[in-house]
Amino acid sequence: MCGIFGGIGVEDVSAPVFSAMARRLAHRGPDGAVVERLGQVVLGLTRLAIVGTHEPAVVQRAGRISAVMNGEVYNHRALRRHVAVRGASDAAVVPALFEAEGRAFVDRLEGPFALALSDGRRLHLVRDRLGKKPLYFRVQGRRAFFASEQKALVVTPGFDGVVDEGVAGAFLARGYLRDDEVLWRGLSAVAPGEWVTIDERGRVTRRRWWRLEDQVNAAQPRRLVPEVGRALEAAVTARIPDEVPWALLLSGGLDSTLLGAAAGTVPRAVVMERPGAGDARRAKTAARALGCHVETMRLPAPSLEGLERALYSLEQPEAYASWSMAPAVLALGDWLRARGLKVALLGEGADELFLGYAWDGLEAALERGDGRVPEDAARLLGPRAAYVGLARARARLFTPTPRARDVWLAAAGGLELSEDVEAGLSRRLPGARRRQLVGLGHDLLTLPIPHADRLLMASGVEPRMPFLDHRLVALALSASPAALESPREDKPVLRALARRWLPGFRPPPKRGFSGDTMPGPDALEALRVRLSRGPARVVEPAFFRRARRAPPQHLWRHAVLELTARTLLDADR
């Protein structure tokens, strides 16, 4: 797991520029850095040493191909049998396979990755199937730059710091940005499962080498629960590192407990404890079922300093989680790293894959014609919000636009719905299948994946998410929609698996992170006063001077937008 950066057509760009890019990515790779010029191409790497820990940071080479990688190739030992490779790093197989097999090699890689490869005349940027690793680029005339994070592109020559007004407007309307929406004009994201090629004249070609929707066409499994169990065990085993210590993030809920059961032996389990939430108690119950000990990490109170660091790490404005949830994950990363832990296993993806969110149950109830609000929806939203969400969902659920999650967020915040959710997805798919595709291809990329990667990697801790193994994803997407949902329980497939693996353990109902989504009046006022002073990056200080009596949500979104821009453009980090 690393940070990668560089460019093509950059012969006239001085070395200090690439040194500045490396500094901006040092958190992703605190164990060494390297920058190499290869003709018209520059490739750079900041290394987090997890495989081949004794080796320095290097640009990997095979024949005429050079490469740098952010991520992990879990099956690199098996792939070594097909190509001659030097060095122990899993990244060493990448240029060798490309040299031997061409573009088809990427289908053989298992794991999360973002790659930059070059033959000296072309630059290839490749992102993993589900977008677990970030990768951005900007083209300026005949030259182009790329980096794992946007903050490294901010320091490249010619970057003007101009915000894309359409993207900023989209954030103000809905409170978050999609994976393909980048705040800065001229910056682009490599899409999940995409291969981008940039030649020496700055010409860009883009193609998808893997599509989520294509996985739906597989044959349905005959014995779904046992097959899911075998796939999950294989995914967990592949993600347990050999050379560095690791921890399981154990909430005490269904998903993380299943990861522990699949691992067999859990050397260290960690729970984030929120005041009055009972997290440690639930995690200890799960730990007893797993036969392991759980350590408690107590979360700090939200603060403006934590908000600023969260937005700098996320790089995108985010109105729902940046105040309490994101700083909590940052604090967790600091806690893990201080104890020598470089890898953490997370349960992210299980709810999107097996439909565990309360809004999934709400949507399914509407499709069944069930007028009763599901218990988890009523519990998490509250009676009035659930009523409003149900009414709006009934009226608009089957139009081409809103998904239940956005109805949910709008109802909870008293805001209008966005108009672009689910664009491009087929409405003819069964409801459960459509929910899976939207969850994996949209929802997962707007919060769980960026949080896991950007926030833990801010401390040099690698997140690993076994539920997002592409083979397990394909298996779940081939399951009968009827098997995925039940009016009696959420995630019936995973709950059936838990009954097999841990017969004495009864996972509690799902409980999301329940921290505040925005500051209280005093902290919001302090933020308003701070932003009422320039220099402005997106929102003029005059807006904040006039916004003393503005609706809190309105003020909050504008403040998040402006603070995100200031932290990225003004911070000397």
Side-chain angles (χ1 to χ4, degrees):
M1 196 65 63
C2 307
I4 62 174
F5 60 95
I8 184 170
V10 292
E11 305 94 319
D12 61 334
V13 178
S14 63
V17 170
F18 296 104
S19 296
M21 296 180 77
R23 286 195 299 273
R24 286 253 171 156
L25 295 174
H27 54 279
R28 296 189 72 90
D31 298 329
V34 64
V35 179
E36 288 193 18
R37 289 186 179 267
L38 311 159
Q40 300 184 64
V41 174
V42 169
L43 296 180
L45 172 78
T46 61
R47 185 169 193 239
L48 177 62
I50 292 177
V51 178
T53 55
H54 61 285
E55 296 182 342
V58 297
V59 174
Q60 302 290 344
R61 295 186 179 182
R64 62 191 178 89
I65 304 299
S66 301
V68 288
M69 180 180 82
N70 166 31
E72 300 290 342
V73 178
Y74 296 133
N75 61 332
H76 70 100
R77 292 186 180 87
L79 295 175
R80 286 170 181 270
R81 294 197 290 266
H82 304 282
V83 290
V85 175
R86 294 181 180 179
S89 171
D90 55 318
V93 302
V94 169
L97 286 169
F98 188 31
E99 175 81 3
E101 302 177 7
R103 296 189 179 207
F105 90 93
V106 72
D107 289 305
R108 302 178 64 183
L109 303 183
E110 297 176 6
F113 54 82
L115 311 174
L117 308 102
S118 179
D119 58 6
R121 296 186 302 109
R122 290 178 297 273
L123 175 66
H124 304 281
L125 305 176
V126 189
R127 194 173 176 200
D128 66 71
R129 298 167 178 85
L130 290 166
K132 286 173 275 189
K133 295 293 107 188
L135 190 55
Y136 300 92
F137 66 96
R138 63 175 291 254
V139 178
Q140 183 184 37
R142 298 173 68 93
R143 67 184 180 189
F145 298 91
F146 73 92
S148 291
E149 296 183 6
Q150 299 169 45
K151 58 178 65 71
L153 294 174
V154 166
V155 299
T156 55
F159 179 79
D160 57 15
V162 175
V163 166
D164 185 310
E165 292 183 0
V167 173
F171 166 73
L172 292 174
R174 75 171 92 92
Y176 66 88
L177 293 179
R178 300 191 309 259
D179 181 71
D180 62 338
E181 293 175 319
V182 182
L183 188 59
W184 308 105
R185 188 178 66 183
L187 266 60
S188 300
V190 179
E194 187 178 32
W195 185 302
V196 175
T197 300
I198 308 172
D199 68 15
E200 68 275 11
R201 298 179 64 181
R203 295 176 298 193
V204 178
T205 57
R206 311 182 71 158
R207 73 175 184 89
R208 297 292 292 273
W209 64 272
W210 192 90
R211 291 182 183 274
L212 181 64
E213 294 84 351
D214 294 342
Q215 310 308 305
V216 175
N217 299 321
Q220 292 187 5
R222 294 183 178 181
R223 302 179 67 229
L224 179 59
V225 173
E227 290 189 38
V228 167
R230 286 191 291 270
L232 183 58
E233 285 183 318
V236 170
T237 300
R239 285 159 177 79
I240 294 177
D242 296 327
E243 300 180 49
V244 299
W246 63 279
L248 169 68
L249 301 189
L250 184 64
S251 68
L254 174 63
D255 308 331
S256 60
T257 306
L258 280 176
L259 294 185
T265 300
V266 179
R268 298 188 76 164
V270 179
V271 59
M272 294 192 298
E273 173 74 339
R274 295 162 295 165
D279 302 298
R281 175 177 50 79
R282 286 187 293 274
K284 288 177 181 178
T285 299
R288 284 194 294 271
L290 296 172
C292 68
H293 171 70
V294 63
E295 301 174 61
T296 300
M297 179 257 170
R298 301 191 185 281
L299 295 179
S303 66
L304 294 181
E305 293 75 17
L307 168 66
E308 184 175 4
R309 186 184 173 205
L311 293 175
Y312 180 80
S313 300
L314 289 172
E315 304 189 298
Q316 299 277 62
E318 209 292 327
Y320 295 105
S322 57
W323 175 243
S324 59
M325 183 188 296
V329 180
L330 281 171
L332 173 66
D334 293 342
W335 191 94
L336 293 170
R337 185 71 190 198
R339 287 155 180 78
L341 296 164
K342 285 189 173 183
V343 171
L345 262 60
L346 286 70
E348 265 70 9
D351 288 309
E352 288 80 6
L353 197 57
F354 293 99
L355 305 178
Y357 287 116
W359 48 78
D360 292 316
L362 173 62
E363 203 171 79
L366 292 170
E367 290 173 354
R368 293 192 301 268
D370 185 352
R372 180 176 61 86
V373 177
E375 291 182 6
D376 52 356
R379 182 181 69 253
L380 294 175
L381 265 184
R384 182 181 179 278
Y387 171 80
V388 174
L390 182 63
R392 292 193 182 184
R394 280 192 186 281
R396 304 185 67 181
L397 184 61
F398 299 106
T399 67
T401 48
R403 183 179 188 235
R405 186 190 76 158
D406 290 85
V407 173
W408 183 294
L409 294 175
L415 300 168
E416 293 302 316
L417 295 168
S418 61
E419 293 296 329
D420 60 351
V421 183
E422 296 190 26
L425 288 177
S426 172
R427 302 295 299 182
R428 293 172 294 178
L429 290 170
R433 184 73 71 231
R434 178 171 49 81
R435 281 187 280 283
Q436 284 181 306
L437 289 175
V438 178
L440 292 165
H442 174 273
D443 298 355
L444 195 66
L445 291 164
T446 64
L447 198 151
I449 280 181
H451 275 220
D453 178 85
R454 313 304 195 277
L455 299 176
L456 289 179
M457 286 298 292
S459 301
V461 175
E462 176 184 317
R464 295 188 172 182
M465 298 169 275
F467 282 107
L468 294 180
D469 183 283
H470 71 278
R471 292 160 299 190
L472 183 55
V473 168
L475 178 61
L477 286 174
S478 66
S480 164
L484 295 169
E485 294 180 319
S486 166
R488 297 180 300 276
E489 61 182 2
D490 66 330
K491 292 182 287 194
V493 173
L494 296 188
R495 292 196 180 275
L497 185 61
R499 288 190 286 271
R500 288 170 176 250
W501 284 1
L502 299 166
F505 176 66
R506 292 292 178 265
K510 180 175 178 58
R511 296 175 63 93
F513 190 97
S514 57
D516 294 332
T517 59
M518 59 183 291
D522 292 343
L524 189 59
E525 173 63 12
L527 184 58
R528 183 195 68 80
V529 171
R530 175 181 171 183
L531 296 177
S532 67
R533 309 183 189 101
R537 291 298 185 176
V538 188
V539 184
E540 290 297 326
F543 168 85
F544 294 106
R545 289 194 290 269
R546 296 191 303 264
R548 185 185 299 272
R549 294 182 176 83
Q553 282 279 8
H554 185 68
L555 172 57
W556 171 238
R557 291 193 180 184
H558 282 80
V560 166
L561 179 61
E562 175 63 17
L563 191 59
T564 302
R566 290 193 189 186
T567 58
L568 285 179
L569 295 181
D570 300 343
D572 182 16
R573 301 172 191 244

